[in-house]
Amino acid sequence: MTSAAGRPVRRLTGWVRRNPVQSLAFIVLTAITFGMMWMAVALALRTGLFGFSAGSPPTSQDLPTFATFIGGGLATAATMFGALLTAEHNARERKRLDFETITKSLEAIPPGKQRVAGVLATALLLGQPRIAIRMLEPAWKADEVDNATATWIIDEILGNGTADRPAHSDGESSDRATIKEASIILLQHAKSLTNHASRGDYEFAGHFMDGWEAGRGVPPEAKYFVLQAMADVLLSESPDWWSDGRGLPSFPLDAWLDCARRPDEDSRVKNSAAALFSALYSRFSSGDQDRYEQTHPGARGIVENDLTAFDGKAEHECLVLARKIKTTW
C-alpha cells in the first residue's frame, strides 16, 4: 500500500506535470512575495521600528524608492495571483464542460457493451482508477464489457496512466492495491483472451506486449500475476494456433525475454520470466531457435534446459506454469 505521507507528494507532482504554466506562475509569485517581505523587514529594521536599528535610517530620498519598489512588486504579485486564479478556474470549467459533453454522449449510446466501455473509460480518464476497476470486475464477469476494453483499462492502471499522462484529468493515481487488483483480474480472465476461431487473435495489456514496460510503482506481486496471465493465454491455445509452423511466437516470448534482461527489475521477477522463457524456447526446433537468436542476440544466454535451476529463485506459480509449458503444451 502507498503510505499516507507519500500520497500528497504524488498528487502534487502529478498536478505540476499537468499544469506547467500555473506551476511556473506560482513559483514566480512566491519569489516576489518573499522579496517584498524581505524588503519590508529590511526597511523596518533600518527605521528602528522594532526598537533597534540595523543600520543608518533611510534618507528622504530612499523612502520614495522603497515605496515605489514595494508598490510595484505588490501590484505585480496581485496581478499574477489574479491571473493564476483565473487560469485555474478556466481549467476546471473546461474539465466540467468536457465531463458534461462525455456524459451526454454516453446517454445517447444504447444500453450494452458500448455504454459500459464508455463509462469505464470516462472514469479512468477523469482520474478515478479505483472506481474503474471496481466497475470492471463485475461487468467483465457478466460479459458486459469486451476483452479489448477490459485489457485497455487494466493496461492504463498497470501503467499508472492517471498519474503520468497529461490527457488524464486531475485525480487519483493508481495505488499499489488498485494495480494489484487489476493484475489479478487480468489473470482471472487470461484463458478467455484469445479468439479461437481466428489464429493469432488475442487481447492483452499493451504495456507488457511491447517490451517489459511495467511502469513505476508496479509491485512484484502484480508482475507475478501478469507473468502467469501471459502463460495462461499461451496455454489456452495450441502451438499451431500461435505459430502456424512459422517459428517462435513473439508473444509472450519477447515480453518474457525483455523482463528477464531488464537490469532494474526485481531478481525474483526476472528469474520467473527467465523460467517461462526457457520452457517455451525449448519447445521449438534448433532451426527456429537459431532464427530467433538472429533477431534477439544473446537470448540463449538466459535459457536453462533444466528448470530446477530456478528452484527457490522464481515465483512458485510461474515455475509450475513453466513446467507445464515444457512438458504438456
Side-chain angles (χ1 to χ4, degrees):
M1 294 292 293
T2 303
S3 65
R7 289 175 184 172
V9 175
R10 293 184 65 187
R11 291 177 67 87
L12 176 61
T13 55
W15 186 87
V16 169
R17 283 194 298 269
R18 288 187 291 272
N19 303 275
V21 176
Q22 291 94 322
S23 301
L24 179 61
F26 180 78
I27 293 173
V28 174
L29 177 62
T30 302
I32 291 175
T33 302
F34 275 101
M36 295 304 100
M37 291 176 62
W38 179 84
M39 289 292 296
V41 170
L43 181 60
L45 290 174
R46 292 191 64 184
T47 55
L49 182 63
F50 300 119
F52 60 91
S53 176
S56 60
T59 65
S60 58
Q61 290 82 12
D62 294 331
L63 290 176
T65 303
F66 279 118
T68 301
F69 183 79
I70 293 174
L74 290 175
T76 302
T79 301
M80 292 190 66
F81 184 71
L84 185 62
L85 289 179
T86 301
E88 183 66 19
H89 170 76
N90 292 340
R92 291 186 177 276
E93 186 65 16
R94 284 195 301 271
K95 290 176 182 178
R96 185 186 67 81
L97 293 174
D98 289 344
F99 178 74
E100 289 184 357
T101 302
I102 293 172
T103 302
K104 291 179 180 178
S105 300
L106 292 174
E107 291 175 351
I109 300 175
K113 290 186 177 181
Q114 288 180 314
R115 180 179 287 188
V116 174
V119 171
L120 287 169
T122 300
L124 188 64
L125 294 175
L126 288 176
Q128 299 299 326
R130 295 179 185 176
I131 294 177
I133 201 66
R134 293 293 186 277
M135 294 171 63
L136 174 62
E137 184 175 11
W140 207 357
K141 284 183 178 179
D143 196 30
E144 294 176 350
V145 62
D146 60 282
N147 288 342
T149 299
T151 53
W152 179 80
I153 295 293
I154 290 173
D155 173 61
E156 290 291 297
I157 293 174
L158 290 174
N160 206 11
T162 53
D164 297 335
R165 297 177 189 172
H168 295 175
S169 298
D170 189 14
E172 297 179 356
S173 61
S174 301
D175 59 23
R176 293 170 70 91
T178 306
I179 292 172
K180 184 177 178 180
E181 185 175 357
S183 64
I184 291 173
I185 295 174
L186 179 65
L187 176 59
Q188 290 172 344
H189 292 268
K191 295 179 181 178
S192 62
L193 294 181
T194 60
N195 180 359
H196 182 72
S198 178
R199 179 178 285 132
D201 183 11
Y202 66 96
E203 303 290 346
F204 206 79
H207 270 87
F208 301 93
M209 291 175 64
D210 185 17
W212 185 255
E213 297 297 333
R216 299 193 305 271
V218 179
E221 295 86 353
K223 295 175 184 177
Y224 297 145
F225 292 135
V226 171
L227 292 173
Q228 293 171 42
M230 289 180 177
D232 278 346
V233 173
L234 176 76
L235 290 168
S236 67
E237 299 291 348
S238 67
D240 287 341
W241 188 92
W242 283 103
S243 64
D244 192 21
R246 292 192 297 267
L248 282 69
S250 58
F251 176 86
L253 205 61
D254 291 356
W256 287 342
L257 177 63
D258 290 334
C259 176
R261 284 176 160 179
R262 198 173 183 94
D264 58 346
E265 187 55 86
D266 176 83
S267 61
R268 196 169 183 83
V269 173
K270 291 173 65 173
N271 281 313
S272 299
L276 291 164
F277 178 85
S278 298
L280 180 55
Y281 188 86
S282 67
R283 294 289 293 169
F284 290 86
S285 67
S286 58
D288 289 336
Q289 294 176 7
D290 290 341
R291 283 186 289 273
Y292 190 84
E293 181 71 20
Q294 290 175 1
T295 56
H296 301 78
R300 280 199 179 100
I302 70 167
V303 174
E304 294 286 352
N305 293 322
D306 186 357
L307 294 180
T308 58
F310 296 104
D311 287 346
K313 298 179 181 178
E315 197 272 336
H316 175 70
E317 292 299 328
C318 290
L319 197 52
V320 169
L321 288 168
R323 291 193 172 101
K324 187 174 181 180
I325 292 171
K326 188 168 184 176
T327 57
T328 64
W329 186 59

